Amino acid sequence: MRVELAVVGAGPAGIAAALTATAAGVEAILLDSQPRPGGQYFRTAPPGVAENVRSDDFSRPMRDRATEVATTNRPLLRQLTASTVQVMTDVLVWGAFPADDGQGWKLALHGPHAPARLTARALILATGAYDRPIPFPGWTLPGVMTAGGAQAFIKGQRRVPGRRFLLSGAGPLQIAVAAGLVQAGAEVVALLEASRPGLRDLCHAPALWGQWGRLAEAVGYARTLLAARAPFRLGWAVTEARGNEQVEEAVICRLDRDGRSITRRTETLAVDTIIIGYGLIPSTALSRQLGCAHEYRPDRGGYVPRRDAELRTSLRGVFAVGDGAGIGGAELAQIEGRIAGLAAARDLGRLSDGAAQAALRREQPDLARQRRFAAMLGALFTPLPGLYALADDATIICRCEEITLGDIRRAVAEGATDANEVKGLTRAGMGNCQGRVCGELVSRIIAAEAGRAGEAVAIAAAGCFTARPPIHPLPLAALAQADGL
Amino acid sequence: MASAAHTCDALVVGAGYIGCAVAAALAAAGVRTALLDRGPIPSGASRANYGNVQVQDAELAHSLPMVTAGYRRFATLEAELGCSVGYRRVGSLLLIETAAQQQIMAARLPTLHAAGIVAELVPAEHLAELEPLLDYRRIAQDAILRPMAACYHADEGQVSPFQFMAAFLRVGRRHGLAVHPHTEVTGFDIAGGRLVGVRASAERFSAGVTILTTGAWTPRLGRLLGRDWAIPHVHGQALVTERSDLRLNNHLSSAAFFEAMHAGEGDASAGETRPASAVLAVAQTADGHFLLGEAGASTEDLGAHATGQGQAAVAREVMRVLPVLARLRVLRGWAAPVAFTADSLPFLGPVRDLPGLILATAFKSTVVVTPLVGDAVAQWVCTGRTDLDLTPFSPDRKMAVE
Amino acid sequence: MQKMQTSVPAFIVHVDGRPVAAHAGETVAAVLLAAGIRIFRRTAQRGEPRGVFCGIGVCYECLVTVDGAANTRACVTVVAPGMVIETGQAERHNHAR
């Protein structure tokens, strides 16, 4: 199968890119591994699932119809449905390779309705992001889940994934989750914000200019939470999860300015679900497997592909947009999607230079505004270094292979200086998730053991796990059927 | 930026199996040693290796003394190193598909037996006893490839590659070994006709003797010295799966390799790029992950890029023989340039006309000889002689043109 | 259990041997949580309980056996009529027979 442009990931960035390119006359296909487009931000529930009414042990149906309506009526999703963009869902891109004629890229696909491969002259990667893990004793117990995961249940399955909730994190995502839970009738025992924005953070106030929609949303959440009297604490975090086989209680602690727990000020709360929301990490497995150059940018969520002003990566014909290229939110994602869509259309000869330049220029003011906002969020809510000191030697870091902080420290003491050396010695990163969850944690531990905890340069020097195909585990038979790659 | 200058008595370039063992043996012998690698340590093709301790596939004309002595070292290795290398005894089955292969394998037996290697031809009907996964009446009913026979040797083994190299590095460090990852040799220093050290960007390492254990990178370094060492490489790829409760009793590989060598096919001449084709190589780790390989492609490129094509070729080849693995999930694939020589003999020994330079690389089956070669190189450096006869492995030998 | 009022097809899936009601479009994870199950699997080395963590198919914690396919992510697998779901046991393995 051949197309001019393949867009990988049907979240806000990918949809915007596909719509823009198609409108310019590009033959484009939009791919996503989920059953419906929308990604995380625009996640929709399957039709009618909100009508299921059950009472259950660990999960309650959402009672709030308004949120459901809002999400399913996203303008961008309606535009996609009305467009001629070819959309293929339930398909995983497990690797991407240079096309044989050097004129583009071969994508290796796996899915019930997908061909084994797809050739495209240009690629726009819009692979999104996932929750940043902050390990602490007991974090592997059933009942500890991420804010993104809670949102997936709320938005995607119209279910509340627990009964008595503690939310702990840094930044606005968990506020939205808390509001959603409260509206659904769940019991929010406490909402903890680890950061302590102070007077000096007022310098970021200008970044709020123009963000009226967001501010309105935030006010809405605040009102919901205040009305429910959901206890909110600034400068606190969960430091331990306890329970026999699943979460039964949580230990929370006041934090100092560096995020270290002030152990005299702890409390224990009886909860069954702990939601941790410490921001997002860009999904770069595909861009790294392809061989795009990356850089470590903690202000953008971690490793991100290097891009030029038109969002091209270091590889010809490959663009990267949205949270998958640096955390920035849904609005920025759409703007970037449009920019890459325009640039790709020009590269493919579907738009004249003049038309492309004019359209790109029109995007710049919004782009600048959204980038400022993203930078503000990054500055305010990047997890404080002390939070990474919650784990002790017995705490599991590589969840898949059950490798502890102590195991990793021993490997560093033995002489391992980078993530791949630690991986070889401990097996951290060799499990099912292919190092997605523990990857940056390992690099942070290496930096900390060298006395440079939290220093971006030291973390970057420790590198990241090498990404190779298949970028998700696949049955052997699926690889065997991959013809003509 | 000021140049960093390091001085040592012995410099080992290339931190794979051989490099780690050589560096450890030298350091333990009291030689002030430094170990360099252009990448992380451990590195190279050794990182992409199964860790098989292979015996019966040895090159017959000159390698048997080294291989048999090498294998014997494993009985006491863990005790000597003071830690586990994940060593266990595993058998080897070379699967025979054609009459030509059978003839070739049968012809090898007398020489193997004379060297004390008790390999034997096993007819198809007895394969299932040795390897239940090859039981064509039951578990392997869907197999397309049913070997007509196999060459079986019980006394082979397996180590865990990273534990193996880490053990040598540990010994080395205990004796003061200096380890320099991410340090690429960019030039050599020659004074008075002697190799006196290497340069790595802004750093200088001066050493009485330099040992290159650099695998596929050896010719590139050789060109810096005006040498044209005939060490081509093949781009090897393999896959590792999730854990399985299926048990593989033996390493499985194919006699096709010997058929190709016999027919003088060898590999593509320099400069030619061929897509990946796969030859069977299956092993299993102690905790149950299957190691599946291996695709080889000819390419000049020294990059270690796993290709979808190579992975698909490995998967198809393995599925021919072991369709029972169809649903096993592949967790990752990897690739590395694997050095080889046209005569299947390593480059092991001093380089004539350039005192101060030793090569120890391009072994056919590396793991089995690793501890032995480490000791041999240390012995050479310290005493000027070795118990092992190095003549057939001379880096200066004329390579026969096929 | 409240009576179901739904226009979405409802069907039976089997969870650890017992029949459970499920609906088109639900994920295995949602059905399991609704059935009161949070411990989806036990780890290979220590036998420790694990359940949903990231919820979006990235972390591979929520692994259950679906129609004989071991190590299937519950949070991204949509239920189908008659699906056989097994949870909570020690690590299961995949093979064709």
Side-chain angles (χ1 to χ4, degrees):
Chain A
M1 184 177 185
R2 288 186 164 274
V3 294
E4 290 188 307
L5 172 68
V7 181
V8 181
I15 295 174
L19 284 171
T20 306
T22 302
V26 174
E27 187 206 354
I29 189 167
L30 178 60
L31 305 166
D32 199 278
S33 59
Q34 297 274 344
R36 290 175 301 285
Q40 307 306 329
Y41 287 112
F42 296 166
R43 186 182 279 271
T44 58
V49 84
E51 293 165 23
N52 302 330
V53 177
R54 292 206 287 246
S55 75
D56 312 293
D57 282 348
F58 286 116
S59 144
R60 298 234 301 267
M62 302 285 295
R63 289 205 287 264
D64 163 41
R65 304 299 304 274
T67 317
E68 185 205 0
V69 165
T71 54
T72 52
N73 282 356
R74 294 263 182 209
L76 201 66
L77 286 174
R78 277 200 315 252
Q79 263 183 280
L80 181 65
T81 314
S83 75
T84 56
V85 174
Q86 230 186 319
V87 180
M88 195 187 286
T89 53
D90 282 312
V91 60
L92 169 73
V93 179
W94 60 264
F97 314 97
D100 296 327
D101 60 0
Q103 298 289 328
W105 304 92
K106 279 184 295 197
L107 300 184
L109 305 180
H110 176 64
H113 319 295
R117 97 177 176 281
L118 168 68
T119 309
R121 283 183 55 204
L123 286 185
I124 297 180
L125 305 180
T127 47
Y130 56 94
D131 279 82
R132 168 180 305 284
I134 298 279
F136 50 88
W139 75 306
T140 55
L141 279 173
V144 178
M145 66 189 298
T146 62
Q151 278 287 48
F153 273 96
I154 292 168
K155 290 204 262 191
Q157 296 287 297
R158 310 296 300 146
R159 300 207 83 83
V160 163
R163 278 171 302 170
R164 284 175 54 85
F165 289 82
L166 166 68
L167 291 101
S168 178
L173 176 56
Q174 56 160 357
I175 314 272
V177 174
L181 290 173
V182 159
Q183 280 178 314
E187 190 181 349
V188 174
V189 169
L191 169 58
L192 310 178
E193 167 59 58
S195 316
R196 287 158 55 171
L199 285 173
R200 68 197 148 98
D201 297 307
L202 279 176
C203 62
H204 294 289
L208 292 171
W209 184 262
Q211 302 289 345
W212 312 128
R214 279 205 169 95
L215 286 171
E217 217 178 304
V219 166
Y221 294 147
R223 280 167 60 181
T224 304
L225 292 170
L226 281 169
R229 298 204 232 293
F232 176 80
R233 302 194 201 197
L234 215 51
W236 283 72
V238 64
T239 57
E240 188 181 347
R242 291 185 185 155
N244 175 34
E245 303 267 279
Q246 42 193 301
V247 171
E248 288 164 0
E249 57 185 29
V251 178
I252 66 172
C253 209
R254 180 96 169 95
L255 304 176
D256 67 15
R257 290 224 149 265
D258 295 320
R260 287 188 181 275
S261 33
I262 301 173
T263 42
R264 318 172 255 110
R265 296 201 50 195
T266 76
E267 287 173 35
T268 304
L269 305 174
V271 294
D272 58 60
T273 311
I274 299 171
I275 293 183
I276 58 174
Y278 287 103
L280 301 173
I281 296 178
S283 268
T284 53
L286 189 56
S287 52
R288 286 182 295 115
Q289 177 270 314
L290 256 173
C292 300
H294 286 70
E295 54 184 352
Y296 182 68
R297 294 283 303 273
D299 55 320
R300 313 209 61 213
Y303 278 95
V304 295
R306 284 191 210 275
R307 299 180 296 170
D308 66 11
E310 289 181 356
L311 309 179
R312 293 163 209 281
T313 66
S314 60
L315 292 179
R316 204 163 139 262
V318 180
F319 299 79
V321 295
D323 275 3
I327 306 305
E331 277 85 352
L332 178 59
Q334 288 171 75
I335 297 167
E336 289 194 346
R338 290 198 295 271
I339 290 173
L342 290 166
R346 187 191 43 227
D347 287 358
L348 293 164
R350 300 293 186 174
L351 263 188
S352 69
D353 277 346
Q357 280 303 104
L360 286 167
R361 243 193 329 267
R362 281 196 291 274
E363 299 288 347
Q364 298 306 310
D366 275 333
L367 180 71
R369 191 163 36 240
Q370 293 303 334
R371 286 221 164 123
R372 266 199 305 275
F373 182 77
M376 177 197 76
L377 286 188
L380 287 179
F381 298 116
T382 297
L384 297 161
L387 288 169
Y388 290 100
L390 291 175
D392 59 31
D393 277 349
T395 308
I396 287 188
I397 300 296
C398 169
R399 297 173 63 120
C400 296
E401 295 292 298
E402 305 171 81
I403 309 300
T404 65
L405 176 56
D407 294 330
I408 295 169
R409 282 179 166 158
R410 267 188 293 280
V412 174
E414 276 249 9
T417 56
D418 73 23
N420 288 302
E421 289 178 353
V422 167
K423 180 178 178 181
L425 287 175
T426 63
R427 299 192 52 80
M430 290 196 185
N432 282 301
C433 89
Q434 301 176 327
R436 285 173 168 85
V437 174
C438 70
E440 195 191 278
L441 295 174
V442 169
S443 298
R444 285 182 174 271
I445 293 165
I446 293 169
E449 292 300 292
R452 301 176 65 188
E455 283 180 46
V457 172
I459 296 167
C464 61
F465 296 142
T466 314
R468 296 185 195 91
I471 62 162
H472 272 275
L474 276 191
L476 185 64
L479 285 183
Q481 278 148 29
D483 256 337
L485 276 178
Chain B
M1 177 165 47
S3 225
H6 310 264
T7 310
C8 52
D9 299 322
L11 184 63
V12 181
V13 181
Y17 291 137
I18 300 289
C20 291
V22 167
L26 285 167
V31 177
R32 195 173 34 156
T33 310
L35 174 63
L36 272 57
D37 199 284
R38 59 192 294 279
I41 289 177
S43 199
S46 301
R47 278 180 82 95
N49 191 268
Y50 290 6
N52 290 357
V53 182
Q54 286 162 217
V55 176
Q56 68 156 328
D57 69 337
E59 180 277 340
L60 293 183
H62 302 285
S63 304
L64 290 175
M66 178 171 66
V67 169
T68 50
Y71 183 72
R72 281 196 297 274
R73 296 277 281 107
F74 279 84
T76 52
L77 185 66
E78 286 179 327
E80 285 165 32
L81 292 173
C83 61
S84 168
V85 299
Y87 179 66
R88 55 200 190 104
R89 226 172 126 262
V90 180
S92 156
L93 274 172
L94 279 163
L95 302 182
I96 293 169
E97 284 182 67
T98 67
Q101 287 173 14
Q102 176 140 354
Q103 244 185 336
I104 294 166
M105 299 314 293
R108 288 172 56 86
L109 292 181
T111 316
L112 288 172
H113 292 169
I117 298 168
V118 187
E120 50 174 336
L121 279 182
V122 173
E125 53 273 22
H126 293 306
L127 276 182
E129 291 154 33
L130 291 170
E131 192 60 80
L133 288 185
L134 297 178
D135 183 343
Y136 300 108
R137 280 186 313 237
R138 298 170 330 157
I139 202 170
Q141 280 162 275
D142 301 326
I144 299 170
L145 169 64
R146 302 181 182 205
M148 49 192 291
C151 199
Y152 173 64
H153 182 227
D155 289 316
E156 312 230 336
Q158 189 180 47
V159 298
S160 155
F162 283 98
Q163 276 186 52
F164 190 54
M165 289 186 277
F168 287 113
L169 290 170
R170 204 173 288 133
V171 166
R173 286 189 165 109
R174 235 184 3 249
H175 291 99
L177 173 69
V179 174
H180 299 267
H182 303 291
T183 304
E184 178 156 22
V185 171
T186 49
F188 291 91
D189 288 331
I190 297 180
R194 250 200 103 77
L195 183 65
V196 296
V198 309
R199 288 189 305 280
S201 300
E203 294 181 89
R204 244 191 164 83
F205 293 82
S206 50
V209 64
T210 299
I211 303 116
L212 298 185
T213 56
T214 40
W217 285 266
T218 311
R220 178 193 282 188
L221 292 174
R223 283 192 284 278
L224 292 176
L225 289 164
R227 308 281 160 140
D228 188 19
W229 291 319
I231 304 177
H233 66 270
V234 69
H235 183 253
Q237 288 194 69
L239 306 168
V240 66
T241 70
E242 58 185 346
R243 284 177 280 265
S244 173
D245 49 9
L246 292 172
R247 270 287 149 265
L248 185 73
N249 291 340
N250 303 281
H251 300 145
L252 301 183
S253 52
S254 170
F257 170 81
F258 294 95
E259 190 176 21
M261 291 303 298
H262 199 81
E265 284 163 21
D267 280 272
S269 48
E272 188 186 313
T273 301
R274 272 207 319 232
S277 55
V279 171
L280 187 78
V282 178
Q284 190 177 28
T285 66
D287 55 355
H289 298 268
F290 274 86
L291 302 168
L292 306 175
E294 42 191 29
S298 303
T299 165
E300 282 295 290
D301 181 8
L302 281 169
H305 307 298
T307 64
Q309 189 193 60
Q311 296 189 337
V314 168
R316 276 194 289 272
E317 181 61 22
V318 172
M319 292 279 292
R320 279 201 317 146
V321 182
L322 297 169
V324 70
L325 302 183
R327 291 171 79 161
L328 219 50
R329 290 149 66 248
V330 171
L331 292 185
R332 63 186 176 282
W334 64 82
V338 181
F340 67 95
T341 55
D343 56 10
S344 297
L345 298 173
F347 275 43
L348 176 61
V351 172
R352 191 180 54 216
D353 300 339
L354 190 50
L357 179 61
I358 298 175
L359 259 53
T361 195
F363 294 84
K364 180 178 189 295
S365 289
T366 314
V367 179
V368 66
V369 299
T370 295
L372 187 79
V373 168
D375 289 346
V377 172
Q379 190 185 23
W380 172 266
V381 167
C382 295
T383 68
R385 52 164 299 281
T386 57
D387 296 333
L388 187 64
D389 177 14
L390 300 182
T391 329
F393 315 133
S394 167
D396 301 305
R397 69 184 183 272
K398 279 265 176 298
M399 214 49 90
V401 177
E402 308 85 68
Chain C
M1 225 203 278
Q2 290 184 26
K3 186 162 151 71
M4 277 177 267
Q5 312 145 24
T6 175
S7 61
V8 174
F11 44 79
I12 295 295
V13 298
H14 305 275
V15 176
D16 296 331
R18 54 188 178 93
V20 168
H23 301 82
E26 286 188 315
T27 60
V28 172
V31 169
L32 290 177
L33 287 184
I37 297 171
R38 297 191 126 185
I39 299 173
F40 284 21
R41 70 176 177 107
R42 292 193 175 270
T43 60
Q45 310 256 39
R46 303 170 177 212
E48 287 176 349
R50 299 285 175 92
V52 174
F53 179 65
C54 82
I56 63 171
V58 162
C59 73
Y60 285 82
E61 287 282 20
C62 63
L63 304 179
V64 295
T65 301
V66 172
D67 293 336
N71 304 319
T72 302
R73 292 168 293 170
C75 68
V76 294
T77 304
V78 175
V79 292
M83 185 177 268
V84 177
I85 300 162
E86 298 161 273
T87 75
Q89 296 125 329
E91 185 178 281
R92 294 289 298 271
H93 298 109
N94 274 310
H95 38 81
R97 256 172 226 290

